[in-house]
Amino acid sequence: MSSASTDSLAERFEESRGHLRAVAYRMLGSFSEAEDAVQETWLRLQRSDTSAVENLGGWLTTVTGRICLDLLRSRKARGEEPLETHVPDPLVTSLDTPDPEQQALQADSVGLALLVVLDSLAPSERLAFVLHDLFAVPFEDIAPIVERTPAATRQLASRARRRVQGAPPPQTDLVRQREVVEAFLSAAREGDFEGLLAVLDPNVLLRADAGATDLSRLVRGAHAVASGAIMFQRMAPHVRVVLVNGAIGLLALPDGRPASLMSFTITDTGITELNVLSDEDRLQHLTREA
């Protein structure tokens, strides 16, 4: 391949890089693994004869999907399936994101609660749902990746969709989200148990991911979650409001260092899910732009 051809291919790949990163992030729930998958896609592109490829963007998307599927299957084979308490890498940005790249990421974000559900899917189901439902890839193009017929691939996506759609639709109005989150924060700061119960759905689920420690846990029910949130009181003065995957969240910064990140799923019945990441190693990398 000539230098000019290589340069042209590199330019076309760079045009697709953001899209491919978005696909890989939704497939893997990890920014570092997503970046690795995109880089592997570039290496495969360099090794392939694409002269007969009419839609390079579509070709790159399916190659990235295949790489991600292999990674997910490898996780499963090694017994590294996500634990119930695992919180996928959150996309954290400030409420005012003047950086155009950050604005583009935020506009293209997907809720953290959805990523948690995607983590529970079988690898082939996740691929079929992500590529078809989130990126409009035809089942005919997905089928060869999962080694199924288009009809069977459609069933994979359908099963995944039922899991994803099982919960009430979340509140998308940022103003309303902020009202609820600030009411939660105020009640926690004041040790107001009844105030916490007022903003929590009775069946709220709290998922706490503390990394490689024994502090990770699931807490179910408004009374149990409210009792734990009272302990959040000492951290409350150090909290700032941020965007977590496009939704209002809270970042605790005692001594200026990220200690915990909380994301909320809010519906008409209140806060239905809280995902808390307190793995300091991951937080250091994930909150640099916030």
Side-chain angles (χ1 to χ4, degrees):
M1 184 181 296
S2 68
S3 175
S5 298
T6 302
D7 290 345
S8 174
L9 203 60
E11 288 176 8
R12 295 173 69 189
F13 179 80
E14 287 303 319
E15 291 172 359
S16 297
R17 182 182 287 275
H19 166 76
L20 298 178
R21 189 188 294 119
V23 170
Y25 172 54
R26 285 151 180 75
M27 281 293 298
L28 301 168
S30 163
F31 288 122
S32 61
E33 288 188 347
E35 200 59 55
D36 289 345
V38 172
Q39 187 60 26
E40 177 61 24
T41 301
W42 164 242
L43 294 175
R44 294 192 186 185
L45 175 61
Q46 289 180 298
R47 296 194 298 262
S48 302
D49 179 5
T50 57
S51 57
V53 175
E54 296 181 2
N55 179 1
L56 184 63
W59 185 91
L60 291 169
T61 298
T62 55
V63 169
T64 299
R66 183 174 287 110
I67 291 167
C68 291
L69 181 62
D70 290 342
L71 286 170
L72 290 175
R73 286 172 170 169
S74 178
R75 280 184 194 171
K76 186 173 183 179
R78 295 194 306 267
E80 294 180 6
E81 291 178 279
L83 302 172
E84 281 190 316
T85 55
H86 175 71
V87 175
D89 283 356
L91 172 62
V92 187
T93 52
S94 63
L95 284 174
D96 48 344
T97 53
D99 185 313
E101 183 178 350
Q102 287 297 312
Q103 287 180 327
L105 282 172
Q106 200 62 64
D108 194 36
S109 63
V110 61
L112 196 63
L114 173 58
L115 288 175
V116 170
V117 175
L118 293 181
D119 265 353
S120 70
L121 301 177
S124 294
E125 291 176 348
R126 185 167 187 167
L127 177 83
F129 176 82
V130 168
L131 290 189
H132 181 267
D133 285 45
L134 301 186
F135 294 99
V137 177
F139 287 120
E140 289 74 13
D141 294 342
I142 303 171
I145 305 175
V146 294
E147 299 177 333
R148 308 282 183 94
T149 65
T153 305
R154 186 185 299 273
Q155 286 300 312
L156 289 174
S158 179
R159 286 202 298 270
R161 198 176 302 120
R162 285 195 293 271
R163 293 283 295 277
V164 169
Q165 295 174 347
Q171 174 64 250
T172 57
D173 182 349
L174 286 180
V175 174
R176 175 58 182 156
Q177 285 181 28
R178 185 159 188 172
E179 289 174 353
V180 173
V181 171
E182 290 188 341
F184 170 90
L185 179 59
S186 176
R189 184 182 290 126
E190 296 168 12
D192 180 0
F193 189 79
E194 293 301 321
L196 285 167
L197 290 180
V199 295
L200 295 173
D201 179 272
N203 299 310
V204 62
L205 170 67
L206 182 146
R207 177 180 291 99
D209 183 348
T213 74
D214 58 2
L215 299 177
S216 298
R217 66 194 187 281
L218 289 177
V219 181
R220 301 178 188 275
H223 281 78
V225 171
S227 297
I230 294 294
M231 298 169 61
F232 181 65
Q233 191 172 12
R234 63 181 178 80
M235 195 74 74
H238 308 289
V239 163
R240 58 186 278 205
V241 179
V242 294
L243 288 174
V244 183
N245 288 63
I248 298 293
L250 297 174
L251 176 63
L253 293 156
D255 304 318
R257 293 172 56 84
S260 68
L261 178 72
M262 182 177 290
S263 75
F264 299 80
T265 301
I266 299 167
T267 69
D268 292 341
T269 62
I271 299 169
T272 59
E273 185 172 318
L274 295 93
N275 287 296
V276 183
L277 180 63
S278 57
D279 181 339
E280 292 192 19
D281 288 339
R282 288 175 66 197
L283 282 173
Q284 288 293 334
H285 297 289
L286 297 170
T287 60
R288 285 193 296 256
E289 304 294 337

